[in-house]
Amino acid sequence: SKYKRHDTYTYVQDKTLKRLSLRFRFLLLLIGLLLVIFVAITLTIVRQNSKTLKTNLVDESRSFASLATQPIGNAFEPYQYSGTLHIQQAVSSFTELDPHINEVEVVDTNAKRLFIDNPGSPISVNVGEVTSLDPSYIHDSGGNLVAIIQPYVENYGIHRYAVVYGVSYQSVNQSIQSTITYIIILSVIILLASLIVWYLLINQLLLRPVSNVSQLALKISKGDLNQQIRLKRNDEIGDLAMAVDTMASSLKDD
């Protein structure tokens, strides 16, 4: 009796492990598939969002430099020798309007720096860039816009100075990071919900019928020929159930 109970327990345990193994492998496959899909979607959204944000930053920075140069130059010209307070106030009133601009410099046509808003990070420019009557743009090795050189033209078309604007990507990076965090949280929620829905559907449509057929077929194989599956489905699982029922009936007749 002791050995019989042990054999029964071992049989039930093996049977449960096999059933769980099928569900576990299916769940792993489903998780892997959904993860690949969500990672691909996340990367696409982040890349597109990053591209859009950077494009907007460049457009806004160029527009800002075009509009702010004349007022900044007008404030610099009369106060360049009497102190920088008025110049600083004029610059600050404009830079507060655009978070992408983190530095403003005024240089002459010899590339000599006459005023700098942020002494900690001067921008290197050359004579060709500051003498041009057209705006010049400085990019880093990654192709990102890092500085704009806008000519300042005084009355009667005199061009002695240029205003240099440093462009910061801090706000863009923060926006991208916030977008990534939001997408990850949303993806996790959708992933969990999708897993639950898909598992319930597949369990109801596939795993549970297969498990029932397997259990009854096992009983029939042990000699209980009165068992009948009677699973009416027009698919492979229904064909399998019909085949087992037919086999049981043939064995019973024999």
Side-chain angles (χ1 to χ4, degrees):
S1 176
K2 177 180 178 181
Y3 291 113
K4 184 176 180 180
R5 287 198 302 270
H6 176 73
D7 292 341
T8 302
Y9 172 77
T10 303
Y11 162 73
V12 172
Q13 188 180 36
D14 291 343
K15 182 180 175 183
T16 303
L17 287 175
K18 289 179 180 178
R19 186 161 60 249
L20 290 177
S21 176
L22 177 61
R23 283 176 168 79
F24 182 71
R25 282 181 290 180
F26 170 77
L27 194 59
L28 280 181
L29 179 62
L30 185 59
I31 291 174
L33 178 61
L34 291 177
L35 278 176
V36 170
I37 294 174
F38 279 115
V39 167
I41 293 174
T42 300
L43 290 177
T44 301
I45 294 175
V46 170
R47 187 180 295 110
Q48 185 62 37
N49 187 70
S50 175
K51 183 179 179 181
T52 301
L53 287 174
K54 289 182 178 180
T55 300
N56 292 339
L57 177 147
V58 171
D59 294 340
E60 292 173 7
S61 299
R62 289 182 176 180
S63 298
F64 174 84
S66 176
L67 295 174
T69 296
Q70 201 66 30
I72 290 175
N74 292 341
F76 169 79
E77 189 178 0
Y79 294 107
Q80 59 178 310
Y81 301 113
S82 59
T84 60
L85 180 60
H86 290 85
I87 305 173
Q88 186 71 48
Q89 290 175 345
V91 169
S92 298
S93 66
F94 280 97
T95 54
E96 290 175 356
L97 302 176
D98 192 337
H100 307 314
I101 302 299
N102 67 342
E103 181 178 347
V104 176
E105 300 179 7
V106 179
V107 297
D108 61 18
T109 50
N110 293 318
K112 180 182 178 181
R113 191 175 292 106
L114 304 177
F115 169 82
I116 181 169
D117 183 45
N118 184 7
S121 55
I123 300 173
S124 177
V125 296
N126 58 52
V127 174
E129 292 169 335
V130 298
T131 55
S132 174
L133 291 175
D134 295 320
S136 299
Y137 305 102
I138 301 176
H139 299 82
D140 61 14
S141 58
N144 297 316
L145 178 68
V146 295
I148 300 173
I149 305 170
Q150 190 79 22
Y152 167 64
V153 181
E154 305 169 61
N155 295 331
Y156 308 106
I158 300 174
H159 175 217
R160 294 185 296 168
Y161 312 109
V163 182
V164 183
Y165 301 90
V167 180
S168 170
Y169 284 79
Q170 182 178 359
S171 60
V172 170
N173 293 333
Q174 290 175 349
S175 298
I176 294 173
Q177 188 62 44
S178 299
T179 301
I180 293 174
T181 302
Y182 172 77
I183 292 175
I184 289 176
I185 294 174
L186 184 62
S187 298
V188 169
I189 294 174
I190 296 176
L191 176 63
L192 292 176
S194 300
L195 282 174
I196 294 173
V197 172
W198 277 105
Y199 180 77
L200 291 177
L201 287 175
I202 297 300
N203 186 64
Q204 182 67 28
L205 297 175
L206 178 63
L207 296 178
R208 184 177 295 176
V210 170
S211 177
N212 292 337
V213 172
S214 175
Q215 293 176 22
L216 293 175
L218 188 60
K219 290 180 181 180
I220 292 172
S221 69
K222 292 184 177 296
D224 189 356
L225 302 181
N226 292 319
Q227 295 289 339
Q228 285 189 327
I229 300 176
R230 296 190 178 92
L231 184 64
K232 299 185 181 300
R233 291 179 52 152
N234 294 322
D235 55 19
E236 289 80 358
I237 297 177
D239 294 340
L240 176 61
M242 185 180 298
V244 174
D245 282 342
T246 302
M247 179 187 67
S249 297
S250 298
L251 292 173
K252 187 176 181 180
D253 293 338
D254 291 341

